[in-house]
Amino acid sequence: MKTPNPAVPGGLAGWILARWKNRGRVQPRLALLERISLAPRQTLSLVEAEGRRFLIAISPDGSPAFFALDGPAPAKRSGRISW
């Protein structure tokens, strides 16, 4: 049986404190959804910024290439994210 930690209140007081602590957090507006390596120094990344998705190609030959993917982003999905 797990022994309760006296420093962490439970019940209603614990719930109120948890809600109050997370109150000021801002949701991130930029998220890395997927990233794959194509070659030793070449990557392809899928990024979401404020509801829009972008495909970003990075290589040592030049500056990154950005491609906007038109249409609204689908609902957030849970699962594995590759880095």
Side-chain angles (χ1 to χ4, degrees), residues 52-67:
R52 295 191 62 202
R53 289 189 172 191
F54 299 90
L55 195 59
I56 303 170
I58 302 170
S59 75
D61 297 332
S63 62
F66 294 82
F67 301 96

Side-chain angles (χ1 to χ4, degrees), residues 32 34-46 55-60 80-83:
L32 176 65
E34 297 277 341
R35 180 175 157 195
I36 59 171
S37 294
L38 302 174
R41 292 175 52 200
Q42 295 177 338
T43 60
L44 191 61
S45 301
L46 178 61
L55 195 59
I56 303 170
I58 302 170
S59 75
R80 187 177 86 94
I81 296 178
S82 58
W83 297 94

